Amino acid sequence: MDHVAELTSLSTKITSTIGGLAIIWTMFRQFMPYDIKRYLDTYIHKFTSYISPYDCFVIEEYAGDRMNRHDLYIATKAYLSDHCSRRARTCRIELGKDSDRFLVSIGERVEVTDDFNGARIWWHAHMHQPVSNQYSGRQSQEERRYYTLTFHKRHRELIEGPYLRHVLDKGRAITVRNRQRRLFTNNPYTEWSSYFKPMWNHVQFQHPSTFDTLAMDPTKKQEIIDDLNEFRRGKEYYSRIGKAWKRGYLLYGPPGTGKSSMITAIANFLEYDIYDLELTTVKSNSELRKLFIETTGKSIIVIEDIDCTLDLTGKRNSNKSKEEEEGDGSDEKNKRKYRFDDEDKKKVTLSGLLNFIDGLWSACGEERIIIFTTNHIEKLDPALIRTGRMDKHIEMSYCDFESFRVLAHNYLGIKSHKLYEKIRRLFEEVKITPADVAENLMCVGYSKVDAGVYLERLVKTLMERKEAVEEQGKDGIVDEVYKNNVSNGVELK
């Protein structure tokens, strides 16, 4: 018993001594000059690294350019938030960038563990405190955060290669999933505004259109979904065949057939941002390249009504007059010719647009979709829409019965009705756009009434168009002008 009492007393003395030394060391460090403190910490770290079987990596919040956060740090934060934060007892809650979702991250000096291929990894969050200059009293650096991951030395190659790549890939995917997607539009460019305004402005993108709500033939819709899935999984394939990871879609068809709804459905399906490029405000090919460079990956670049924005009908030399081609040697005509050439250099040309789609500059970045829309595909230059530039041509046509059923379910919440058979026969005889069908099914004031009232209204519209077509001897297509004439009681010639 005496021996046990002596050991207990000795351990108590040792513990007290160590505790006292720790307090003294802490107080001593508080008044120690910064240079001496850093010198001692360096040698203490070297000594412990020799006897410790563990290695440690540091991931700083800022690396190199202090204006931008380190990509690996952002990915690590997202990875730990998703995979490891549930194991931590102290967490930080914050809103993600450009998002209304709450993100959970581990707090300072909190330890969480992760397992990867048999290796155990310990993660810690830290923060560099600002250091005050002893002469000026100013802080020498800002508050900076960083992560450390500790692992056994025998797993170093595994951590340096596969594990960090795993963290980066998973973290990037989580960041994309959690962010608030955006709709961009390009700013009108002037020489002075380029120094003060960004190339793109954006708003939050919250359009509800999806493939489930899109009025389209189910088989055709599934074909598009399969194509998008193949593109999303095609990084290794595009790298193997030596092509930029991008894909072009051409949406064509009459107005009101759902081209814009298709774009938003694609964006919501892939969870991509949208860049709505207004070509009429772009002054030159060089500005077009700058706009492309400023876009990010996982995005859709849209040029709507491409046939209306530029002269891309194949008349590539139409600016030259007949007299200029003859070249009679007149100084005045030569000056005018040079003036025209200078003006042309300041405009977006077909060749500049083609280089934008699949030239050298198109390889700046990856995982992009370029979409053109047009009401008149026959007006476009064949070089613009050939395979390889516009890889998939999607015709947005008039409403058929299957598309009508989707609209009826969206607007009226019904899957069948006694008027369906009559409506089916009318769709076989009359061509009408999905937008016009939706207009007839729209519940005024969102009131809850019998769906039959709106179906009867659609039947009446279809019957009126059928009679008007029969009277005029047309082929069943009723355009917007014709529809307005019929509704206003104008006699058609």
Side-chain angles (χ1 to χ4, degrees):
M1 293 294 294
D2 294 339
H3 181 66
V4 173
E6 291 177 0
L7 288 177
T8 304
S9 177
L10 179 62
S11 64
T12 303
K13 291 179 180 180
I14 293 174
T15 304
S16 301
T17 303
I18 293 175
L21 291 174
I23 294 173
I24 294 173
W25 174 249
T26 303
M27 296 176 63
F28 181 68
R29 279 178 56 88
Q30 187 175 359
F31 298 99
M32 186 185 300
Y34 175 73
D35 293 337
I36 297 177
K37 186 191 302 184
R38 186 176 60 179
Y39 180 82
L40 289 176
D41 288 343
T42 301
Y43 277 91
I44 291 174
H45 177 72
K46 286 184 178 180
F47 175 75
T48 55
S49 64
Y50 283 128
I51 63 176
S52 173
Y54 297 98
D55 284 345
C56 179
F57 287 166
V58 178
I59 300 176
E60 296 279 359
E61 182 176 10
Y62 295 96
D65 185 4
R66 288 278 301 168
M67 298 299 293
N68 296 316
R69 299 175 78 192
H70 195 193
D71 187 30
L72 180 58
Y73 178 87
I74 297 173
T76 300
K77 184 176 181 179
Y79 175 82
L80 294 178
S81 173
D82 188 76
H83 287 72
C84 303
S85 61
R86 64 179 64 92
R87 306 174 191 172
R89 301 187 65 180
T90 303
C91 299
R92 299 174 59 209
I93 306 294
E94 58 187 342
L95 283 175
K97 182 180 179 181
D98 297 324
S99 174
D100 56 358
R101 300 183 182 181
F102 291 102
L103 298 180
V104 180
S105 57
I106 61 176
E108 273 86 30
R109 300 182 181 89
V110 175
E111 179 181 280
V112 293
T113 59
D114 193 19
D115 296 300
F116 183 79
N117 292 349
R120 172 62 61 91
I121 300 98
W122 292 267
W123 285 95
H124 297 83
H126 303 274
M127 182 167 54
H128 291 297
Q129 295 293 341
V131 178
S132 298
N133 189 297
Q134 60 180 340
Y135 300 106
S136 65
R138 295 180 179 179
Q139 293 180 345
S140 61
Q141 64 182 23
E142 296 178 356
E143 186 179 90
R144 295 179 298 162
R145 294 182 173 86
Y146 63 97
Y147 290 108
T148 60
L149 63 156
T150 306
F151 53 90
H152 200 280
K153 291 180 178 180
R154 65 173 179 267
H155 299 307
R156 187 182 182 97
E157 292 186 3
L158 176 68
I159 302 302
E160 283 184 345
Y163 180 68
L164 286 180
R165 172 54 58 182
H166 167 75
V167 171
L168 183 62
D169 292 342
K170 291 291 185 181
R172 283 174 172 172
I174 295 166
T175 302
V176 170
R177 187 178 70 227
N178 290 338
R179 84 187 193 283
Q180 173 65 52
R181 289 181 297 112
R182 296 166 291 178
L183 173 62
F184 292 84
T185 184
N186 53 304
N187 278 319
Y189 179 84
T190 59
E191 186 174 352
W192 66 269
S193 68
S194 63
Y195 298 100
F196 303 100
K197 290 185 178 180
M199 299 292 288
W200 297 93
N201 277 337
H202 71 269
V203 296
Q204 291 187 1
F205 178 70
Q206 296 177 328
H207 200 289
S209 178
T210 65
F211 279 108
D212 291 334
T213 62
L214 191 64
M216 176 180 274
D217 178 70
T219 302
K220 190 174 182 180
K221 187 188 301 185
Q222 187 60 46
E223 179 184 340
I224 297 170
I225 293 174
D226 293 341
D227 188 79
L228 293 171
N229 280 325
E230 288 296 323
F231 170 78
R232 181 162 51 183
R233 297 190 295 260
K235 181 176 183 178
E236 294 183 359
Y237 171 76
Y238 280 91
S239 177
R240 178 166 56 84
I241 64 177
K243 290 188 63 177
W245 189 11
K246 64 177 185 60
R247 191 159 179 79
Y249 287 82
L250 175 66
L251 308 182
Y252 66 96
T257 51
K259 294 185 286 293
S260 297
S261 297
M262 171 63 76
I263 294 171
T264 55
I266 292 175
N268 285 327
F269 179 76
L270 295 175
E271 297 183 335
Y272 284 6
D273 292 331
I274 295 180
Y275 289 84
D276 185 14
L277 178 59
E278 179 56 59
L279 277 182
T280 56
T281 64
V282 182
K283 303 302 181 183
S284 64
N285 292 334
S286 61
E287 183 186 340
L288 185 63
R289 289 194 294 269
K290 291 178 182 178
L291 285 167
F292 186 82
I293 293 173
E294 290 295 322
T295 62
T296 61
K298 294 183 181 295
S299 63
I300 300 173
I301 302 172
V302 178
I303 303 179
E304 294 193 277
D305 297 322
I306 185 67
D307 55 303
C308 300
T309 54
L310 292 175
D311 183 14
L312 302 174
T313 59
K315 300 178 181 180
R316 308 183 191 183
N317 299 317
S318 59
N319 290 332
K320 293 184 178 180
S321 65
K322 183 177 180 180
E323 292 181 356
E324 289 174 337
E325 291 177 355
E326 293 174 355
D328 60 0
S330 170
D331 291 340
E332 183 62 29
K333 291 180 179 179
N334 286 335
K335 290 180 181 178
R336 186 167 67 251
K337 178 179 183 297
Y338 294 141
R339 186 171 67 249
F340 289 159
D341 289 343
D342 290 339
E343 291 176 357
D344 289 344
K345 291 178 181 178
K346 297 179 181 178
K347 297 178 181 178
V348 176
T349 63
L350 177 61
S351 62
L353 187 60
L354 296 182
N355 188 53
F356 171 83
I357 300 171
D358 67 347
L360 293 175
W361 290 97
S362 68
C364 298
E366 58 183 17
E367 202 168 355
R368 290 187 178 99
I369 289 180
I370 301 175
I371 298 180
F372 289 167
T373 71
T374 180
N375 297 333
H376 305 283
I377 189 174
E378 69 279 358
K379 292 184 178 181
L380 298 181
D381 192 300
L384 184 67
I385 60 175
R386 69 165 176 81
T387 303
R389 290 186 175 127
M390 293 294 104
D391 303 283
K392 192 171 184 62
H393 295 188
I394 302 174
E395 181 180 7
M396 306 299 294
S397 187
Y398 293 95
C399 189
D400 57 14
F401 181 71
E402 292 301 323
S403 301
F404 155 75
R405 293 185 63 179
V406 174
L407 291 173
H409 182 264
N410 293 342
Y411 285 85
L412 304 177
I414 60 174
K415 294 185 177 180
S416 62
H417 194 274
K418 61 182 180 181
L419 290 174
Y420 269 26
E421 187 58 36
K422 185 176 183 179
I423 293 174
R424 180 198 296 272
R425 293 194 300 269
L426 287 171
F427 271 121
E428 294 174 354
E429 299 175 357
V430 178
K431 293 184 178 180
I432 184 172
T433 65
D436 290 333
V437 173
E439 181 182 350
N440 283 273
L441 299 180
M442 176 72 74
C443 299
V444 180
Y446 308 100
S447 57
K448 295 182 179 180
V449 297
D450 185 9
V453 174
Y454 298 97
L455 294 178
E456 288 284 1
R457 186 166 67 183
L458 175 62
V459 169
K460 181 180 178 181
T461 300
L462 293 173
M463 291 295 295
E464 290 175 352
R465 296 196 178 196
K466 177 184 176 182
E467 293 172 359
V469 167
E470 290 175 350
E471 290 178 1
Q472 297 299 320
K474 293 182 177 291
D475 60 357
I477 300 178
V478 182
D479 59 19
E480 192 69 22
V481 175
Y482 183 76
K483 179 192 73 173
N484 292 335
N485 287 336
V486 171
S487 62
N488 294 329
V490 178
E491 183 179 356
L492 302 177
K493 301 295 182 182

